[in-house]
Amino acid sequence: MREEFLSGFGPGLLPLPDAVDDSALLAALRMSPRFMGEGFRQAAEELFNSPIFIHGVYLSVMLYFSAWLAPEPFFSKGLAAALTVRLALLVGLVELGRVAHACLRLYQEAGEARTPRELEEASARFGTALGGTGFRVLVLVATMGLGRLLPSVPEGGIGAQVRTWVTALEGGASVGTAATARVIADGTLVVTGTAVGVSVSSVCSAMGLCTMANSTGGHTALSTRYGPPHTRSNPPHNEAIEEELAAREGAGHIRLDKNKAQTNAANRRVFDPAPARGVRFRRPDASSVRPDGVRHNTNYVSNPDDMRRELEAFEAMVRADPRAIHELYKLDGTLVRRYVPPGVVFP
């Protein structure tokens, strides 16, 4: 189940524990239906009694809703991007953000609770704040992430509606193969993909909600979660860097840098002791510090004609910081060169 969610939503910003059964957050979620409104309390109790469903809600909070912690939430997995568009069209970005922050507040308060009473109070605040629309959002995110693992739910209450919410967009709107969705500061939803769909585009236009960008032609929105675009003329290069840094953040790396001057694990600038053609320092495409304190630098090469230059940069980075891990990849994921310092375990 954990792998099902990770494959659909990618790593979250919150640390995902190895076991969740004794989690305070899970306990608070289990109690929350008692405090929900009359109109949907019974349905919530039916669904929350399913061990698979309650774990799905837990994972939704940790992986999908945690993405809303960022100032401009960014969803790079296809399922997460498509789900964000569907939810935005169904309930609106304001409501979606409200549910996300209610989930995150529950996560924080459950973690801070020191007595059963404090945990129950946190659960009550969550259940009261959720509302019918918020519960609808919670169910949709959990069931989308569960995929084939979702058990059959009772026919009464909410059960009959769960299966229809996936296609409940008015007018049969479709998101096609949306690849990324990003909510920017002014409340606009920017969607990119190979075929984001005419129906969604028309619905978005009517609602004044979305900005669509087709990655097969025309302008393509560039991800900027970890820093300014690497280059506007090569979007795949920029997206590879963003995805790499997102994966590292999920793995617990710190000091996530995008195209910044090379530094060591102590965050001090380092310089090539034998600079080629006068280039004294380099800018790794993606750089971070692993949980064990080892700096990890990665570069990507887009054009085979640039391979010689990129290999020269790779060797310069190794000379500047031989205690760091250095990698060079092609954009298709092929490893060109890797340096691992003596005594360092990789991966």
Side-chain angles (χ1 to χ4, degrees):
M1 182 186 222
R2 179 190 182 111
E3 294 305 315
E4 187 96 358
F5 268 82
L6 287 171
S7 65
F9 295 123
L13 299 182
L14 303 178
L16 199 59
D18 294 328
V20 301
D21 287 337
D22 57 352
S23 162
L25 174 61
L26 191 67
L29 285 169
R30 283 196 171 112
M31 287 189 286
S32 64
R34 305 200 321 245
F35 309 102
M36 294 181 183
E38 291 290 342
F40 58 96
R41 181 188 303 157
Q42 181 182 357
E45 289 173 346
E46 291 173 354
L47 286 175
F48 277 55
N49 278 332
S50 163
I52 292 183
F53 181 80
I54 191 67
H55 280 72
V57 175
Y58 177 93
L59 289 167
S60 299
V61 173
M62 303 298 285
L63 298 177
Y64 178 73
F65 289 120
S66 68
W68 291 83
L69 283 168
E72 295 187 357
F74 176 74
F75 307 92
S76 59
K77 287 282 186 176
L79 174 60
L83 179 60
T84 301
V85 177
R86 288 180 177 181
L87 288 171
L89 296 176
L90 185 63
V91 302
L93 288 175
V94 173
E95 181 66 21
L96 184 52
R98 190 186 69 79
V99 174
H101 284 91
C103 290
L104 295 171
R105 181 182 178 186
L106 178 65
Y107 167 81
Q108 294 167 343
E109 292 182 345
E112 295 170 356
R114 294 295 176 264
T115 66
R117 182 177 180 81
E118 289 178 348
L119 189 63
E120 185 176 6
E121 290 174 350
S123 180
R125 281 189 288 271
F126 173 75
T128 303
L130 200 58
T133 301
F135 176 63
R136 196 176 180 187
V137 170
L138 203 65
V139 170
L140 185 51
V141 176
T143 54
M144 286 284 286
L146 287 167
R148 70 181 187 283
L149 299 175
L150 182 67
S152 57
V153 295
E155 292 298 325
I158 212 76
Q161 301 181 47
V162 170
R163 287 178 291 275
T164 67
W165 281 346
V166 173
T167 55
L169 303 184
E170 185 176 355
S174 165
V175 295
T177 54
T180 67
R182 182 162 60 97
V183 182
I184 59 179
D186 64 358
T188 300
L189 178 64
V190 179
V191 183
T192 64
T194 55
V196 291
V198 175
S199 56
V200 160
S201 182
S202 62
V203 173
C204 288
S205 297
M207 297 178 67
L209 176 68
C210 308
T211 296
M212 311 301 294
N214 191 323
S215 62
T216 60
H219 171 69
T220 301
L222 296 173
S223 305
T224 56
R225 181 175 183 177
Y226 298 98
H230 181 271
T231 171
R232 294 191 177 278
S233 62
N234 190 353
H237 196 131
N238 181 77
E239 299 310 303
I241 298 170
E242 290 274 333
E243 290 176 8
E244 175 68 22
L245 288 171
R248 294 189 189 185
E249 187 171 21
H253 289 217
I254 61 172
R255 291 208 295 275
L256 302 155
D257 292 333
K258 175 184 177 183
N259 193 33
K260 292 185 179 179
Q262 185 181 356
T263 61
N264 59 20
N267 208 28
R268 295 175 180 169
R269 288 279 298 273
V270 292
F271 300 89
D272 184 359
R277 292 194 293 275
V279 181
R280 298 182 59 239
F281 68 91
R282 304 289 173 166
R283 296 178 181 271
D285 285 341
S287 183
S288 62
V289 176
R290 303 195 315 180
D292 63 358
V294 177
R295 171 68 74 176
H296 186 174
N297 298 314
T298 299
N299 272 349
Y300 293 92
V301 54
S302 304
N303 189 340
D305 294 339
D306 296 333
M307 185 64 73
R308 181 176 178 180
R309 184 189 68 192
E310 293 295 338
L311 286 171
E312 184 178 274
F314 175 88
E315 296 298 335
M317 287 165 55
V318 173
R319 288 193 300 269
D321 187 8
R323 296 185 178 182
I325 297 169
H326 302 279
E327 295 179 299
L328 177 62
Y329 285 94
K330 295 180 180 178
L331 280 188
D332 63 4
T334 302
L335 177 66
V336 177
R337 189 74 60 84
R338 174 183 291 141
Y339 168 85
V340 180
V344 172
V345 176
F346 186 89

mmCIF file of all heavy atoms in Angstrom, residues 80-116:
data_model
loop_
_atom_site.group_PDB
_atom_site.id
_atom_site.type_symbol
_atom_site.label_atom_id
_atom_site.label_comp_id
_atom_site.label_asym_id
_atom_site.label_seq_id
_atom_site.Cartn_x
_atom_site.Cartn_y
_atom_site.Cartn_z
ATOM 1 N N ALA A 80 -0.903 12.670 -9.056
ATOM 2 C CA ALA A 80 -1.089 13.819 -8.179
ATOM 3 C C ALA A 80 -1.498 15.050 -8.969
ATOM 4 O O ALA A 80 -2.343 15.833 -8.532
ATOM 5 C CB ALA A 80 0.199 14.088 -7.397
ATOM 6 N N ALA A 81 -0.904 15.232 -10.145
ATOM 7 C CA ALA A 81 -1.253 16.389 -10.975
ATOM 8 C C ALA A 81 -2.692 16.291 -11.463
ATOM 9 O O ALA A 81 -3.458 17.261 -11.402
ATOM 10 C CB ALA A 81 -0.292 16.484 -12.155
ATOM 11 N N ALA A 82 -3.065 15.106 -11.975
ATOM 12 C CA ALA A 82 -4.428 14.920 -12.465
ATOM 13 C C ALA A 82 -5.443 15.084 -11.344
ATOM 14 O O ALA A 82 -6.503 15.697 -11.522
ATOM 15 C CB ALA A 82 -4.562 13.539 -13.104
ATOM 16 N N LEU A 83 -5.127 14.539 -10.178
ATOM 17 C CA LEU A 83 -6.025 14.644 -9.033
ATOM 18 C C LEU A 83 -6.207 16.094 -8.606
ATOM 19 O O LEU A 83 -7.316 16.523 -8.268
ATOM 20 C CB LEU A 83 -5.484 13.808 -7.879
ATOM 21 C CG LEU A 83 -6.284 13.821 -6.578
ATOM 22 C CD1 LEU A 83 -7.690 13.305 -6.807
ATOM 23 C CD2 LEU A 83 -5.571 12.978 -5.519
ATOM 24 N N THR A 84 -5.136 16.860 -8.629
ATOM 25 C CA THR A 84 -5.213 18.273 -8.244
ATOM 26 C C THR A 84 -6.135 19.041 -9.174
ATOM 27 O O THR A 84 -6.949 19.858 -8.726
ATOM 28 C CB THR A 84 -3.802 18.897 -8.252
ATOM 29 O OG1 THR A 84 -2.967 18.175 -7.344
ATOM 30 C CG2 THR A 84 -3.854 20.361 -7.829
ATOM 31 N N VAL A 85 -6.031 18.778 -10.482
ATOM 32 C CA VAL A 85 -6.901 19.455 -11.434
ATOM 33 C C VAL A 85 -8.357 19.056 -11.193
ATOM 34 O O VAL A 85 -9.255 19.897 -11.167
ATOM 35 C CB VAL A 85 -6.485 19.133 -12.877
ATOM 36 C CG1 VAL A 85 -7.449 19.773 -13.872
ATOM 37 C CG2 VAL A 85 -5.072 19.633 -13.146
ATOM 38 N N ARG A 86 -8.596 17.766 -11.009
ATOM 39 C CA ARG A 86 -9.970 17.300 -10.787
ATOM 40 C C ARG A 86 -10.568 17.940 -9.541
ATOM 41 O O ARG A 86 -11.714 18.402 -9.549
ATOM 42 C CB ARG A 86 -9.977 15.775 -10.650
ATOM 43 C CG ARG A 86 -9.715 15.051 -11.955
ATOM 44 C CD ARG A 86 -9.733 13.554 -11.759
ATOM 45 N NE ARG A 86 -9.550 12.863 -13.026
ATOM 46 C CZ ARG A 86 -9.550 11.537 -13.158
ATOM 47 N NH1 ARG A 86 -9.725 10.789 -12.083
ATOM 48 N NH2 ARG A 86 -9.384 10.979 -14.324
ATOM 49 N N LEU A 87 -9.807 17.949 -8.479
ATOM 50 C CA LEU A 87 -10.303 18.528 -7.230
ATOM 51 C C LEU A 87 -10.512 20.031 -7.361
ATOM 52 O O LEU A 87 -11.483 20.582 -6.828
ATOM 53 C CB LEU A 87 -9.333 18.228 -6.094
ATOM 54 C CG LEU A 87 -9.298 16.775 -5.604
ATOM 55 C CD1 LEU A 87 -8.138 16.561 -4.644
ATOM 56 C CD2 LEU A 87 -10.615 16.410 -4.920
ATOM 57 N N ALA A 88 -9.617 20.695 -8.074
ATOM 58 C CA ALA A 88 -9.754 22.144 -8.255
ATOM 59 C C ALA A 88 -11.027 22.470 -9.009
ATOM 60 O O ALA A 88 -11.721 23.444 -8.704
ATOM 61 C CB ALA A 88 -8.533 22.702 -8.985
ATOM 62 N N LEU A 89 -11.349 21.655 -10.012
ATOM 63 C CA LEU A 89 -12.566 21.886 -10.780
ATOM 64 C C LEU A 89 -13.811 21.490 -9.997
ATOM 65 O O LEU A 89 -14.886 22.056 -10.177
ATOM 66 C CB LEU A 89 -12.516 21.099 -12.097
ATOM 67 C CG LEU A 89 -11.418 21.507 -13.087
ATOM 68 C CD1 LEU A 89 -11.429 20.602 -14.289
ATOM 69 C CD2 LEU A 89 -11.596 22.955 -13.512
ATOM 70 N N LEU A 90 -13.662 20.512 -9.133
ATOM 71 C CA LEU A 90 -14.809 20.000 -8.383
ATOM 72 C C LEU A 90 -15.162 20.870 -7.190
ATOM 73 O O LEU A 90 -16.332 21.184 -6.957
ATOM 74 C CB LEU A 90 -14.500 18.565 -7.916
ATOM 75 C CG LEU A 90 -15.623 17.795 -7.217
ATOM 76 C CD1 LEU A 90 -16.794 17.590 -8.166
ATOM 77 C CD2 LEU A 90 -15.108 16.451 -6.710
ATOM 78 N N VAL A 91 -14.156 21.277 -6.413
ATOM 79 C CA VAL A 91 -14.438 22.027 -5.185
ATOM 80 C C VAL A 91 -13.766 23.390 -5.124
ATOM 81 O O VAL A 91 -14.072 24.190 -4.241
ATOM 82 C CB VAL A 91 -14.022 21.208 -3.939
ATOM 83 C CG1 VAL A 91 -14.746 19.888 -3.901
ATOM 84 C CG2 VAL A 91 -12.507 20.992 -3.889
ATOM 85 N N GLY A 92 -12.804 23.648 -6.040
ATOM 86 C CA GLY A 92 -12.111 24.933 -6.029
ATOM 87 C C GLY A 92 -10.817 24.879 -5.232
ATOM 88 O O GLY A 92 -10.673 24.087 -4.302
ATOM 89 N N LEU A 93 -9.878 25.729 -5.608
ATOM 90 C CA LEU A 93 -8.567 25.734 -4.965
ATOM 91 C C LEU A 93 -8.636 26.199 -3.518
ATOM 92 O O LEU A 93 -7.887 25.725 -2.669
ATOM 93 C CB LEU A 93 -7.602 26.629 -5.746
ATOM 94 C CG LEU A 93 -7.115 26.086 -7.088
ATOM 95 C CD1 LEU A 93 -6.266 27.126 -7.794
ATOM 96 C CD2 LEU A 93 -6.325 24.808 -6.891
ATOM 97 N N VAL A 94 -9.545 27.124 -3.229
ATOM 98 C CA VAL A 94 -9.639 27.634 -1.857
ATOM 99 C C VAL A 94 -10.033 26.516 -0.904
ATOM 100 O O VAL A 94 -9.424 26.318 0.147
ATOM 101 C CB VAL A 94 -10.648 28.797 -1.777
ATOM 102 C CG1 VAL A 94 -10.868 29.200 -0.322
ATOM 103 C CG2 VAL A 94 -10.154 29.991 -2.584
ATOM 104 N N GLU A 95 -11.049 25.735 -1.288
ATOM 105 C CA GLU A 95 -11.503 24.632 -0.441
ATOM 106 C C GLU A 95 -10.436 23.546 -0.345
ATOM 107 O O GLU A 95 -10.196 22.976 0.722
ATOM 108 C CB GLU A 95 -12.798 24.039 -0.998
ATOM 109 C CG GLU A 95 -13.374 22.895 -0.183
ATOM 110 C CD GLU A 95 -13.843 23.330 1.198
ATOM 111 O OE1 GLU A 95 -14.096 24.538 1.390
ATOM 112 O OE2 GLU A 95 -13.946 22.467 2.078
ATOM 113 N N LEU A 96 -9.780 23.280 -1.464
ATOM 114 C CA LEU A 96 -8.729 22.265 -1.471
ATOM 115 C C LEU A 96 -7.592 22.663 -0.535
ATOM 116 O O LEU A 96 -7.088 21.845 0.244
ATOM 117 C CB LEU A 96 -8.212 22.079 -2.903
ATOM 118 C CG LEU A 96 -7.176 20.992 -3.146
ATOM 119 C CD1 LEU A 96 -7.622 19.653 -2.597
ATOM 120 C CD2 LEU A 96 -6.880 20.881 -4.634
ATOM 121 N N GLY A 97 -7.185 23.926 -0.595
ATOM 122 C CA GLY A 97 -6.145 24.400 0.312
ATOM 123 C C GLY A 97 -6.582 24.369 1.758
ATOM 124 O O GLY A 97 -5.792 24.063 2.657
ATOM 125 N N ARG A 98 -7.864 24.671 2.003
ATOM 126 C CA ARG A 98 -8.383 24.645 3.376
ATOM 127 C C ARG A 98 -8.320 23.237 3.963
ATOM 128 O O ARG A 98 -7.931 23.042 5.117
ATOM 129 C CB ARG A 98 -9.826 25.153 3.393
ATOM 130 C CG ARG A 98 -10.380 25.403 4.777
ATOM 131 C CD ARG A 98 -11.845 25.771 4.728
ATOM 132 N NE ARG A 98 -12.669 24.647 4.316
ATOM 133 C CZ ARG A 98 -13.022 23.648 5.129
ATOM 134 N NH1 ARG A 98 -12.610 23.639 6.388
ATOM 135 N NH2 ARG A 98 -13.772 22.672 4.694
ATOM 136 N N VAL A 99 -8.688 22.239 3.153
ATOM 137 C CA VAL A 99 -8.638 20.849 3.624
ATOM 138 C C VAL A 99 -7.193 20.444 3.902
ATOM 139 O O VAL A 99 -6.893 19.783 4.905
ATOM 140 C CB VAL A 99 -9.278 19.901 2.592
ATOM 141 C CG1 VAL A 99 -9.093 18.448 3.003
ATOM 142 C CG2 VAL A 99 -10.752 20.217 2.425
ATOM 143 N N ALA A 100 -6.292 20.828 2.996
ATOM 144 C CA ALA A 100 -4.886 20.487 3.179
ATOM 145 C C ALA A 100 -4.355 21.058 4.488
ATOM 146 O O ALA A 100 -3.658 20.369 5.250
ATOM 147 C CB ALA A 100 -4.063 21.003 2.001
ATOM 148 N N HIS A 101 -4.670 22.297 4.778
ATOM 149 C CA HIS A 101 -4.169 22.920 6.001
ATOM 150 C C HIS A 101 -4.833 22.342 7.248
ATOM 151 O O HIS A 101 -4.210 22.279 8.313
ATOM 152 C CB HIS A 101 -4.342 24.439 5.927
ATOM 153 C CG HIS A 101 -3.331 25.098 5.045
ATOM 154 N ND1 HIS A 101 -3.545 25.310 3.709
ATOM 155 C CD2 HIS A 101 -2.077 25.544 5.296
ATOM 156 C CE1 HIS A 101 -2.478 25.885 3.185
ATOM 157 N NE2 HIS A 101 -1.566 26.038 4.117
ATOM 158 N N ALA A 102 -6.092 21.890 7.123
ATOM 159 C CA ALA A 102 -6.732 21.205 8.257
ATOM 160 C C ALA A 102 -6.012 19.892 8.548
ATOM 161 O O ALA A 102 -5.795 19.528 9.712
ATOM 162 C CB ALA A 102 -8.211 20.948 7.942
ATOM 163 N N CYS A 103 -5.620 19.186 7.500
ATOM 164 C CA CYS A 103 -4.884 17.937 7.670
ATOM 165 C C CYS A 103 -3.527 18.193 8.316
ATOM 166 O O CYS A 103 -3.093 17.452 9.208
ATOM 167 C CB CYS A 103 -4.697 17.253 6.317
ATOM 168 S SG CYS A 103 -6.210 16.580 5.594
ATOM 169 N N LEU A 104 -2.849 19.232 7.862
ATOM 170 C CA LEU A 104 -1.526 19.526 8.391
ATOM 171 C C LEU A 104 -1.588 20.008 9.840
ATOM 172 O O LEU A 104 -0.709 19.705 10.645
ATOM 173 C CB LEU A 104 -0.832 20.563 7.511
ATOM 174 C CG LEU A 104 -0.536 20.068 6.096
ATOM 175 C CD1 LEU A 104 -0.046 21.199 5.222
ATOM 176 C CD2 LEU A 104 0.486 18.953 6.122
ATOM 177 N N ARG A 105 -2.663 20.732 10.158
ATOM 178 C CA ARG A 105 -2.838 21.155 11.545
ATOM 179 C C ARG A 105 -3.048 19.931 12.445
ATOM 180 O O ARG A 105 -2.506 19.870 13.552
ATOM 181 C CB ARG A 105 -4.027 22.114 11.657
ATOM 182 C CG ARG A 105 -4.247 22.621 13.078
ATOM 183 C CD ARG A 105 -5.460 23.522 13.183
ATOM 184 N NE ARG A 105 -5.671 23.956 14.554
ATOM 185 C CZ ARG A 105 -6.723 24.653 14.968
ATOM 186 N NH1 ARG A 105 -7.663 24.989 14.092
ATOM 187 N NH2 ARG A 105 -6.838 25.008 16.224
ATOM 188 N N LEU A 106 -3.841 18.969 11.944
ATOM 189 C CA LEU A 106 -4.046 17.747 12.722
ATOM 190 C C LEU A 106 -2.725 17.010 12.921
ATOM 191 O O LEU A 106 -2.436 16.517 14.014
ATOM 192 C CB LEU A 106 -5.050 16.838 12.017
ATOM 193 C CG LEU A 106 -5.319 15.501 12.705
ATOM 194 C CD1 LEU A 106 -5.976 15.714 14.060
ATOM 195 C CD2 LEU A 106 -6.188 14.596 11.827
ATOM 196 N N TYR A 107 -1.916 16.944 11.875
ATOM 197 C CA TYR A 107 -0.610 16.289 11.967
ATOM 198 C C TYR A 107 0.253 16.952 13.050
ATOM 199 O O TYR A 107 0.870 16.270 13.877
ATOM 200 C CB TYR A 107 0.087 16.362 10.614
ATOM 201 C CG TYR A 107 1.558 16.010 10.648
ATOM 202 C CD1 TYR A 107 1.974 14.679 10.658
ATOM 203 C CD2 TYR A 107 2.531 17.009 10.680
ATOM 204 C CE1 TYR A 107 3.327 14.356 10.695
ATOM 205 C CE2 TYR A 107 3.873 16.699 10.719
ATOM 206 C CZ TYR A 107 4.267 15.363 10.726
ATOM 207 O OH TYR A 107 5.610 15.055 10.767
ATOM 208 N N GLN A 108 0.271 18.283 13.057
ATOM 209 C CA GLN A 108 1.089 19.003 14.034
ATOM 210 C C GLN A 108 0.556 18.826 15.453
ATOM 211 O O GLN A 108 1.314 18.547 16.391
ATOM 212 C CB GLN A 108 1.136 20.485 13.668
ATOM 213 C CG GLN A 108 1.869 20.762 12.364
ATOM 214 C CD GLN A 108 1.639 22.168 11.843
ATOM 215 O OE1 GLN A 108 0.698 22.854 12.261
ATOM 216 N NE2 GLN A 108 2.469 22.597 10.910
ATOM 217 N N GLU A 109 -0.760 18.975 15.619
ATOM 218 C CA GLU A 109 -1.335 18.897 16.960
ATOM 219 C C GLU A 109 -1.288 17.473 17.503
ATOM 220 O O GLU A 109 -1.090 17.277 18.712
ATOM 221 C CB GLU A 109 -2.773 19.413 16.937
ATOM 222 C CG GLU A 109 -2.853 20.911 16.654
ATOM 223 C CD GLU A 109 -4.288 21.418 16.685
ATOM 224 O OE1 GLU A 109 -5.229 20.592 16.644
ATOM 225 O OE2 GLU A 109 -4.480 22.650 16.745
ATOM 226 N N ALA A 110 -1.460 16.477 16.651
ATOM 227 C CA ALA A 110 -1.371 15.088 17.103
ATOM 228 C C ALA A 110 0.047 14.779 17.567
ATOM 229 O O ALA A 110 0.251 14.075 18.571
ATOM 230 C CB ALA A 110 -1.789 14.134 15.986
ATOM 231 N N GLY A 111 1.037 15.318 16.847
ATOM 232 C CA GLY A 111 2.424 15.094 17.243
ATOM 233 C C GLY A 111 2.788 15.772 18.545
ATOM 234 O O GLY A 111 3.672 15.298 19.270
ATOM 235 N N GLU A 112 2.105 16.875 18.845
ATOM 236 C CA GLU A 112 2.399 17.623 20.071
ATOM 237 C C GLU A 112 1.585 17.148 21.270
ATOM 238 O O GLU A 112 1.889 17.513 22.408
ATOM 239 C CB GLU A 112 2.128 19.118 19.830
ATOM 240 C CG GLU A 112 3.059 19.745 18.800
ATOM 241 C CD GLU A 112 2.614 21.140 18.402
ATOM 242 O OE1 GLU A 112 1.536 21.566 18.878
ATOM 243 O OE2 GLU A 112 3.324 21.783 17.605
ATOM 244 N N ALA A 113 0.539 16.357 21.021
ATOM 245 C CA ALA A 113 -0.332 15.888 22.113
ATOM 246 C C ALA A 113 0.443 14.983 23.064
ATOM 247 O O ALA A 113 1.192 14.104 22.627
ATOM 248 C CB ALA A 113 -1.534 15.155 21.541
ATOM 249 N N ARG A 114 0.243 15.205 24.358
ATOM 250 C CA ARG A 114 0.943 14.411 25.369
ATOM 251 C C ARG A 114 -0.026 13.585 26.223
ATOM 252 O O ARG A 114 0.406 12.767 27.014
ATOM 253 C CB ARG A 114 1.774 15.330 26.274
ATOM 254 C CG ARG A 114 2.928 16.012 25.546
ATOM 255 C CD ARG A 114 3.945 14.991 25.080
ATOM 256 N NE ARG A 114 5.024 15.581 24.294
ATOM 257 C CZ ARG A 114 5.050 15.624 22.981
ATOM 258 N NH1 ARG A 114 4.017 15.121 22.283
ATOM 259 N NH2 ARG A 114 6.052 16.164 22.323
ATOM 260 N N THR A 115 -1.309 13.815 26.074
ATOM 261 C CA THR A 115 -2.307 13.060 26.835
ATOM 262 C C THR A 115 -3.426 12.647 25.889
ATOM 263 O O THR A 115 -3.617 13.250 24.818
ATOM 264 C CB THR A 115 -2.907 13.910 27.971
ATOM 265 O OG1 THR A 115 -3.653 14.997 27.400
ATOM 266 C CG2 THR A 115 -1.814 14.446 28.890
ATOM 267 N N PRO A 116 -4.196 11.595 26.248
ATOM 268 C CA PRO A 116 -5.335 11.195 25.414
ATOM 269 C C PRO A 116 -6.326 12.335 25.197
ATOM 270 O O PRO A 116 -6.921 12.448 24.119
ATOM 271 C CB PRO A 116 -5.957 10.039 26.208
ATOM 272 C CG PRO A 116 -4.819 9.473 26.987
ATOM 273 C CD PRO A 116 -3.977 10.648 27.356
#
